[in-house]
Amino acid sequence: MLQGRKVAAIGFAVAGVIAFASYRGLFESFELGILDQFSRWQASPTLDKRILVVTIDEQDIANLGQWPVSDQTLSQLLRTIGEHNPASVGVDLYRNLPIEPGAAELIETFHDMPMIIGAERAIGEPVPAHSVLSELNQTAIIDLIVDNDGRVRRGLLSVILPEDGSLRQGIAATLALDYLATRNIFPEVVASGGDGQSLRLGKSTITRFRKNDGGYVDADHGGFQVLMNYRSSHSQFESISMTAVLNGELTDELVRDRIVLIGSTAASLNDLFYTPLDREQQIAGVYVHAHIVSQLLGAALDGRPFMRTVPDYAEWLWVCGWIAISVIAGRSVYGGSLKTELSAWQLVARFVALTGGLGAIGFVLFLNGWWLPIALPFVAMMATVGLGVSYRNQQLQTLAAYDELTKIANRRYFDQYLEQFLKTDKRLSLILCDVDHFKAYNDLYGHPAGDRCLYQVAQAIKSAVRDADMVARYGGEEFVVVLPNTDELSAEQVAQRIRLQVRNLEIVHDGSSASQWVTLSGGYVTRQSGVVIDAHSLVECADKALYEAKEAGRDRIVLRHWYEKEEQLDVPPEQQETIEDISKAA
């Protein structure tokens, strides 16, 4: 139960850290990268025959021998398209100044073709549309929202200009709404108020982008933005070059009742953008607008929505749910046997299965128009598993270093600790103690009672020493205490406190000749600073002191000096002078 709570605590701790990291936007690029990959996986060359793109590429510019294209050429292009009865024509070219020859001719064309929508820029440094188109109210903005990594993932449908409070629609929204109006489909506000504004358009509801939608963190959410759901590359749209149109290659089948977008695709004009569809290749801005138009029409007519997200609380339920699953999946491993190799393989297999399931579910949701965070729960699960493994390793190390019965350090840990400390030149005292007549206690009360007695004695010793001291079970009923930086007087005080603490437990021992209670006998030794002595010799000296305590009647503590020659300690010749000084002082 306690272990389960610890593992659960790991999950809560991970959730807290992940929440803070998410708040700081540390996962945004990861989430957007996953969104891009999902877009590439779902991309299919489905042709949208409601849209035609007329391109102006490098060859077209070379054929014209000039840029910008003259008003006369643009007028000829527009009239040629108009002859084939398009639904509307969007001109993704800035045209705010006359370019002779043909300025008057272009103005006449604008008056004759009410389906033309001209371009203007509203964000940043504004660029007005052609004055005639502005008077005719046949303009729209062509601004695009570019993320920090240079990719276009959101479409701008409209914006209210702060200068005069006027509403400006995006060219894609204007073209799509004009097209839908001929089919008696009009936008209807179904919810409004801050970031929650939504529009019903035909078969779908379009929700305004909020600054923390999906994997975004505190993104610019000005205007009415939507999360785009790219279906394929620019091959989704039929296209024809300007030269081909001027040469009479345009047909009714290509144009009739379609939305026509005219724009530059020439690299030299730098109207190019990165999208989720390709890591390296850019597409022209006119194709981005075509994608927005296509998605608006798909939403209204086919019921295919823009990318949708869930509220913040639902995202956190999603993330915390995956954390809980990872904790549950790992809990049986953490709480299983001590066969660490098997546990590790189980953990790896389950983690792989979980992450695979997370990715699969996320992609299925994406195919159905929903974007939920993937990186966030992935990192949360990885951190949960990582902390769980760390906890498990710590647990295994603890089991390897501590005695299971008495819950104090074992002989192996004591040996390592003493060897390491003796490498320093610091003073050290060591107490070796033994439960008096313990065999008789076991024979009289049974082994279960003996085990309980040893546990109580060990805890009494532990409570009697200082925080810096180390208590270990040396073997059987023997215990050892290492007292770092402790002289003989302080060591005797600690040893006597240990003896009295055990006696005060008042554990009845009718088989003892020393007392009616369970008691301890002990021997201790102190190594002075600067003296070299090996661990075996030091323990042997304490053991002889313990033997003397037993011979003297038990329930007592005896000091023995490590330098006493009659005990045959292996003392280096260079320490003889030090030994003599210590002997005199004693």
Side-chain angles (χ1 to χ4, degrees), residues 165-201:
S166 61
L167 177 69
R168 294 287 195 276
Q169 282 188 335
I171 192 169
T174 301
L175 294 171
L177 293 178
D178 287 349
Y179 183 92
L180 294 171
T182 62
R183 290 156 176 76
N184 294 319
I185 297 175
F186 302 95
E188 176 187 355
V189 176
V190 295
S192 61
D195 292 343
Q197 189 176 43
S198 297
L199 296 175
R200 175 162 297 280
L201 187 65

Side-chain angles (χ1 to χ4, degrees), residues 93-205:
L93 301 169
Y94 292 122
R95 207 67 184 186
N96 57 321
L97 296 174
I99 302 174
E100 298 290 357
E105 183 179 342
L106 181 61
I107 291 173
E108 185 178 351
T109 299
F110 287 158
H111 282 285
D112 293 342
M113 297 179 63
M115 78 286 292
I116 294 175
I117 304 297
E120 64 175 319
R121 186 169 72 182
I123 300 175
E125 185 177 350
V127 178
H130 195 286
S131 58
V132 173
L133 290 177
S134 297
E135 293 171 3
L136 296 172
N137 198 25
Q138 293 174 215
T139 64
I141 60 173
I142 58 173
D143 300 272
L144 293 174
I145 304 297
V146 181
D147 286 337
N148 292 332
D149 61 356
R151 298 190 184 277
V152 178
R153 300 182 180 90
R154 293 170 282 158
L156 182 61
L157 302 189
S158 65
V159 65
I160 296 177
L161 299 183
E163 295 82 6
D164 56 8
S166 61
L167 177 69
R168 294 287 195 276
Q169 282 188 335
I171 192 169
T174 301
L175 294 171
L177 293 178
D178 287 349
Y179 183 92
L180 294 171
T182 62
R183 290 156 176 76
N184 294 319
I185 297 175
F186 302 95
E188 176 187 355
V189 176
V190 295
S192 61
D195 292 343
Q197 189 176 43
S198 297
L199 296 175
R200 175 162 297 280
L201 187 65
K203 296 181 179 180
S204 298
T205 298

Side-chain angles (χ1 to χ4, degrees), residues 344-358:
W345 279 113
Q346 287 177 336
L347 193 58
V348 169
R350 294 182 186 193
F351 179 65
V352 170
L354 281 175
T355 53
L358 170 64

Side-chain angles (χ1 to χ4, degrees), residues 432-441 477-478 495-496 498-500 502-503 509 511-523 543-558:
L432 189 63
C433 45
D434 185 272
V435 179
D436 294 326
H437 300 295
F438 185 72
K439 183 178 184 303
Y441 186 93
E477 68 273 19
E478 285 189 306
Q496 293 293 352
I498 290 173
R499 184 182 67 83
L500 293 175
V502 171
R503 187 182 181 89
H509 189 352
S512 173
S513 61
S515 171
Q516 62 177 320
W517 316 115
V518 169
T519 58
L520 277 183
S521 296
D543 187 54
K544 291 185 182 299
L546 171 61
Y547 177 78
E548 291 180 8
K550 291 181 178 180
E551 287 294 306
R554 302 180 188 267
D555 189 21
R556 67 195 62 222
I557 302 296
V558 171

Side-chain angles (χ1 to χ4, degrees), residues 100 120 170 224 234 305 339 359 374 382 390 395 421 430 436 503 506 526 553 571 574 585:
E100 298 290 357
E120 64 175 319
F224 196 114
H234 62 272
K339 297 179 180 178
I374 300 297
M382 188 165 59
S390 176
Q395 184 189 44
F421 196 92
L430 185 142
D436 294 326
R503 187 182 181 89
E506 297 186 351
T526 298
V571 179
E574 61 271 14

Side-chain angles (χ1 to χ4, degrees), residues 298-318:
L301 300 175
D302 307 326
R304 189 185 72 201
F306 279 81
M307 191 58 61
R308 295 164 291 179
T309 61
V310 297
D312 290 344
Y313 74 87
E315 285 187 3
W316 281 110
L317 286 176
W318 161 262

